[in-house]
Amino acid sequence: MNKLSRSQFWQVSIMLFGLFFGAGNLIFPPLLGNQAGNQTLLALLAFSVTAVVFPVVGAIVVGKTDGLTNLANRVGPLFSLVFTTAIYLSIGPGLGIPRAGSVPFEMAIAPYLGQQVNVSLARFLYTLVFFGVALWICLKPNELVRRVGKYLTPTLLGLIFLMFIKIVFLPSQVSTPVGDYADNAVIKGFLSGYDTMDAVAALNFGFVVALVIQRFGIKDKKEVTRYTVKAGLLAGAVLFAVYACLSYIGALSSARIPGAENGAVVLTDSIRLALGNFGVVLLAMIFTLACLTTCVGLITSGGEYFYKLFNEKLSYKTWVYIWTLFSFLIANFGLNKLLAFSVPVLTVIYPVALVLIVMGISHDRLNYSKLTYQVAAFISVVLPFIDMLYHTFNLRLPLLTQLGASMPLSNKGLSWLVPTLLAVVLVTLVQKLLVVFNRVPAVEEL
């Protein structure tokens, strides 16, 4: 088979959207609209750079390089092992999967339980069913695209569209921007896109999409890459459309719901005005489906990675059982403690993930050397690590903490950005000049 049918292509694309779209993606855009007010469109466009463009490009790059391991190998084998494992563990059972199981309960169900209800027992039962369904879907990866792309995600999109249609006809009460959006809506929107963590998740999901395409019988690498690119672009377009709807909901209610703590409050108050108590049930269904599709993608990609990492000594299904059981236990008994460890790890690996995505997508044109990858990775890991030690553990390193704080944009948490960019440009230029003047042999292709 050399081509995907139109139905198969749409299922793959919508599946990728579903893998990306979790609880964070549901609550961040309404909060953006609520706080940005009449500057929502500008903030949304900036938000989409880090919440849509980077994730889509990341999925394409990983699909193109046949997995995150191969992309990270451009830095070196040891880096690839440590970085890839850290990505899968932190965004998987270390944070993403347990949070996916507990967030919909905490956001959309727990607030409406009566005082006589045991919240811990209710959470246990909810997550038991949630992870049971996720396990059922993940145990048959060949059925992933059908179950997620054909059924779960289209249902999720239909419910979101229904919610939007009902809320959009409420009286419009748009305010002026508040907080950081009042100071600079573009920068705040850009940085808010980081919160979705989709650029990191994309490094997991890109490989899942490539495997799904191959399971449809597409074996030619160029065709797999081509379909991955097209599926990524379509998934990104749907993602942006949903973000636009959700942020518009937030903007419409920005004057009516001032100072909302999070996007869940905005959605809950808005849907309750539009649909009453049924709206609360609808929102709970949306949260559950959004988190379930993301959870399935994280378990599937993690199971595939560790199955191959340990030379297939444990089966894929065994790894799925391990990840699901561990995540279920953490979601009920240790999520807060795990967050204290996982979030700092993510703040360190997120910048280098973005760097690898940008270098990966531009590699064919600029042909970066291994040294360029190594220098870029070193800077984009070390500076965030120094920053994390200071802001999370109040640990100052002699000279290094001050050096990091002196970098441009350090007050925005982007101390790594300018130095990494300059290093990539300088190392690339110097190496190409040395080749021109015959001082070193041509750069070995990666």
Side-chain angles (χ1 to χ4, degrees), residues 20-21 25 51 55 193-194 196-203 205 239 243 350:
F20 278 133
F21 196 82
N25 309 76
Y194 282 4
T196 66
M197 290 295 175
D198 277 345
V200 173
L203 299 179
F205 298 152
L239 198 58
Y243 284 156
Y350 202 92

Side-chain angles (χ1 to χ4, degrees), residues 39-214:
Q39 294 293 310
T40 293
L41 178 58
L42 193 61
L44 172 65
L45 292 175
F47 175 86
S48 299
V49 174
T50 44
V52 178
V53 176
F54 271 112
V56 169
V57 172
I60 291 171
V61 169
V62 171
K64 185 178 179 180
T65 56
D66 291 328
L68 176 56
T69 300
N70 291 332
L71 176 62
N73 258 331
R74 292 177 175 178
V75 178
L78 179 59
F79 172 86
S80 177
L81 175 63
V82 174
F83 172 72
T84 306
T85 304
I87 285 279
Y88 277 104
L89 287 177
S90 59
I91 202 72
L95 174 61
I97 302 173
R99 189 174 67 175
S102 61
V103 163
F105 175 83
E106 300 295 341
M107 289 287 189
I109 296 177
Y112 307 103
L113 296 176
Q115 293 184 352
Q116 71 278 10
V117 177
N118 186 314
V119 175
S120 296
L121 178 60
R123 182 190 299 110
F124 181 88
L125 294 174
Y126 175 87
T127 53
L128 182 65
V129 174
F130 180 94
F131 284 111
V133 174
L135 178 65
W136 171 70
I137 296 173
C138 293
L139 285 176
K140 292 187 176 180
N142 290 336
E143 294 289 314
L144 183 65
V145 68
R146 185 175 67 89
R147 291 172 176 173
V148 176
K150 190 174 182 179
Y151 299 117
L152 291 180
T153 305
T155 302
L156 170 63
L157 286 170
L159 294 177
I160 292 174
F161 181 70
L162 174 61
M163 177 178 66
F164 175 73
I165 290 298
K166 292 296 183 180
I167 293 176
V168 78
F169 290 107
L170 291 174
S172 176
Q173 297 180 12
V174 181
S175 70
T176 55
V178 297
D180 292 336
Y181 286 100
D183 297 332
N184 194 315
V186 172
I187 291 179
K188 176 59 178 174
F190 182 87
L191 294 175
S192 294
Y194 282 4
D195 295 335
T196 66
M197 290 295 175
D198 277 345
V200 173
L203 299 179
N204 296 11
F205 298 152
F207 189 47
V208 174
V209 171
L211 286 176
V212 166
I213 293 171
Q214 290 169 15

Side-chain angles (χ1 to χ4, degrees), residues 167-311:
I167 293 176
V168 78
F169 290 107
L170 291 174
S172 176
Q173 297 180 12
V174 181
S175 70
T176 55
V178 297
D180 292 336
Y181 286 100
D183 297 332
N184 194 315
V186 172
I187 291 179
K188 176 59 178 174
F190 182 87
L191 294 175
S192 294
Y194 282 4
D195 295 335
T196 66
M197 290 295 175
D198 277 345
V200 173
L203 299 179
N204 296 11
F205 298 152
F207 189 47
V208 174
V209 171
L211 286 176
V212 166
I213 293 171
Q214 290 169 15
R215 288 183 180 125
F216 274 126
I218 308 298
K219 301 302 180 184
D220 183 76
K221 184 178 178 180
K222 290 184 178 179
E223 284 298 298
V224 172
T225 299
R226 186 173 71 87
Y227 278 118
T228 302
V229 171
K230 292 175 67 176
L233 293 175
L234 180 54
V238 177
L239 198 58
F240 177 79
V242 172
Y243 284 156
C245 292
L246 293 172
S247 60
Y248 189 56
I249 289 174
L252 288 177
S253 62
S254 55
R256 186 174 61 249
I257 315 173
E261 294 181 1
N262 55 63
V265 173
V266 177
L267 291 177
T268 301
D269 289 354
S270 298
I271 196 67
R272 182 180 284 167
L273 279 174
L275 292 172
N277 290 333
F278 172 73
V280 176
V281 176
L282 175 64
L283 189 59
M285 293 171 62
I286 291 173
F287 266 105
T288 299
L289 283 175
C291 289
L292 181 61
T293 53
T294 298
C295 183
V296 165
L298 293 172
I299 293 174
T300 302
S301 59
E304 293 277 6
Y305 172 71
F306 280 92
Y307 169 62
K308 294 181 178 179
L309 179 64
F310 289 94
N311 298 317

Side-chain angles (χ1 to χ4, degrees), residues 309-328:
L309 179 64
F310 289 94
N311 298 317
E312 304 180 2
K313 291 181 179 179
L314 292 177
S315 68
Y316 163 79
K317 289 185 177 181
T318 301
W319 281 110
V320 168
Y321 277 114
I322 292 172
W323 274 47
T324 306
L325 178 61
F326 182 81
S327 300
F328 167 72

